[in-house]
Amino acid sequence: MEYEEAKQKIVEELTKKLKSKSKFYFNDLAGILDMKPREAKKIVNQLVVDNVLEYWSSGSTSMYGLPGTGKQAAAENED
């Protein structure tokens, strides 16, 4: 799977699921791509670098989401 195809697939799936949740585990993304974790990691990392996805960590949990979505994004934009 090439990068652009993977990017489109991730954005489509995450957009569909935004009503129920805004952050996803790495394994969710690997499942969407139907790839093994090692292969998916390269694409997911590039999506973060390109600002297609944003990385979020609570310190013990790492998750990914679309930039500007979810409760955390709303709280960060408050003054």
Side-chain angles (χ1 to χ4, degrees):
M1 177 179 298
E2 66 180 59
Y3 176 75
E4 285 300 320
E5 182 184 351
K7 176 179 163 181
Q8 182 178 357
K9 200 169 187 180
I10 290 280
V11 170
E12 280 179 18
E13 287 299 313
L14 298 192
T15 302
K16 284 181 199 172
K17 297 177 181 185
L18 272 178
K19 289 181 181 160
S20 59
K21 64 184 195 176
S22 63
K23 300 284 184 257
F24 301 85
Y25 294 104
F26 172 77
N27 287 341
D28 296 335
L29 302 179
I32 290 169
L33 294 173
D34 195 27
M35 294 179 144
K36 294 181 178 175
R38 184 172 284 183
E39 297 167 346
K41 186 85 172 155
K42 294 174 188 174
I43 290 176
V44 170
N45 285 340
Q46 189 60 47
L47 290 170
V48 171
V49 169
D50 293 345
N51 291 320
V52 175
L53 292 177
E54 65 181 3
Y55 174 79
W56 178 85
S57 176
S58 68
S60 61
T61 303
S62 298
M63 301 184 88
Y64 300 85
L66 296 172
T69 60
K71 293 178 184 175
Q72 185 70 25
E76 288 172 359
N77 291 330
E78 291 176 357
D79 290 316

